[in-house]
Amino acid sequence: MWRGLYIAASGMITETKHTDMIANNLANASTTGYKRDDMAIREFEPMLLRRINDNSADTKVTSFKGFRVEGNRAPIVGTLGLGSAVDEIATEHLQGAMQTTGNTYDFAISGQGYFVVNTIDGPRYTRDGGFYRSTNGTLLNMRGQEVLSSRGRSIRIPENAQRVNVSSDGRIYADGAEVAQLGFVQFAGKNAVIKQGDNLYRPQEGARPQQATGTIEQGMLEMSNTSIVTEMVELINNYRVYEAGSKAVQTQDTLLDKAVNDVGRTS
């Protein structure tokens, strides 16, 4: 009975974490460049169950409908699951929808690639291309962090520039003259970068950036690849699984109560 409580409780804990992940996806359904997360759940090693006191093939139980036991081993009942746990939370790097804004400093990435921004922890990477030019001409993201060039330096747009254009590979032109090139990189393997928070990614140990193969679209933003309908359906299913685990815990608790107070009662 104690095992049943732990098995059901482990499933409830797993589904609680699953709910948190779905809630985060829904909260970022309108976040520029956000990539939804998905969860892989693993089962604990199952236990093989056999009937007890059925070691003889001549007993009535094991002889039922011609059933026989091989050797002296008890017949197999089946396997018993021992709970579940979160195996991995993976990020889906599918392309989000493009939205035209017409703003000069809005950039969307089509294909693979990340912009590079400077943080207190060092260079970090993002798909959010909603930038703006500060009063001194520095190109910043919406959190006030500097957008870095391909040389790892801050980018300054001349204050008197009338027309700013960006090529598909990130070269910035002010009135026809090239002033810098956006840091535009990618990594080998989808798991080379992990989420840090604030729509930023940090590289895994040993991961090295290389020139991105995607293209940059000026005057556009990449939307989140989260589908609200899909997440809501998954949330409802998640709730039902959690509810089933809750009822299993209540059932186990009732059985334990009867075992202690009724079966174990002495006259």
Side-chain angles (χ1 to χ4, degrees):
M1 294 182 190
W2 284 111
R3 181 181 292 125
L5 285 173
Y6 285 116
I7 293 172
S10 70
M12 293 176 66
I13 292 172
T14 300
E15 294 308 320
T16 299
K17 295 178 180 178
H18 196 182
T19 301
D20 292 340
M21 185 206 70
I22 296 173
N24 186 60
N25 287 339
L26 288 171
N28 288 281
S30 59
T31 300
T32 304
Y34 176 81
K35 302 301 179 184
R36 70 178 297 273
D37 291 325
D38 201 3
M39 179 178 290
I41 299 174
R42 63 179 175 85
E43 180 186 9
F44 293 156
E45 190 68 27
M47 177 186 296
L48 180 63
L49 300 181
R50 293 179 179 273
R51 301 182 71 97
I52 60 175
N53 301 325
D54 288 346
N55 293 326
S56 173
D58 296 327
T59 61
K60 294 181 179 180
V61 175
T62 55
S63 299
F64 180 68
K65 291 187 177 180
F67 177 79
R68 289 293 184 272
V69 180
E70 297 180 2
N72 293 324
R73 303 184 66 186
I76 296 175
V77 175
T79 57
L80 172 66
L82 297 181
S84 61
V86 177
D87 187 36
E88 180 186 10
I89 295 181
T91 302
E92 280 192 8
H93 294 274
L94 297 176
Q95 180 77 46
M98 297 291 190
Q99 183 179 65
T100 301
T101 65
N103 296 330
T104 302
Y105 301 106
D106 281 347
F107 308 119
I109 297 175
S110 177
Q112 298 188 48
Y114 299 92
F115 299 111
V116 187
V117 297
N118 190 29
T119 71
I120 58 175
D121 299 316
R124 291 296 183 263
Y125 307 92
T126 182
R127 297 275 297 191
D128 184 358
F131 304 142
Y132 71 95
R133 185 176 66 176
S134 66
T135 55
N136 64 358
T138 304
L139 192 63
L140 306 174
N141 67 3
M142 294 304 172
R143 294 177 179 82
Q145 299 162 327
E146 293 183 344
V147 181
L148 298 182
S149 69
S150 56
R151 297 184 178 182
R153 303 172 183 173
S154 59
I155 299 174
R156 295 186 180 277
I157 309 296
E159 296 183 10
N160 58 351
Q162 299 297 318
R163 188 178 70 258
V164 177
N165 301 104
V166 176
S167 64
S168 61
D169 61 351
R171 298 180 187 274
I172 302 175
Y173 298 90
D175 294 330
E178 183 177 343
V179 294
Q181 183 177 8
L182 285 168
F184 186 39
V185 301
Q186 70 181 47
F187 294 84
K190 294 182 178 180
N191 296 324
V193 293
I194 57 177
K195 288 183 177 180
Q196 174 179 296
D198 292 332
N199 216 7
L200 299 176
Y201 295 84
R202 61 180 175 85
Q204 296 271 36
E205 185 177 354
R208 295 289 181 267
Q210 57 191 32
Q211 184 61 34
T213 57
T215 58
I216 296 176
E217 305 288 342
Q218 187 177 15
M220 303 182 73
L221 289 174
E222 180 191 11
M223 297 293 98
S224 169
N225 65 356
T226 299
S227 169
I228 295 179
V229 174
T230 301
E231 298 298 329
M232 289 302 299
V233 170
E234 189 170 351
L235 183 62
I236 294 172
N237 179 69
N238 172 253
Y239 170 75
R240 289 174 177 170
V241 174
Y242 183 90
E243 186 179 33
S246 176
K247 290 181 178 179
V249 169
Q250 293 174 8
T251 301
Q252 292 291 330
D253 181 64
T254 302
L255 290 174
L256 190 61
D257 176 70
K258 288 184 176 297
V260 173
N261 295 305
D262 295 339
V263 178
R265 180 183 300 166
T266 59
S267 59

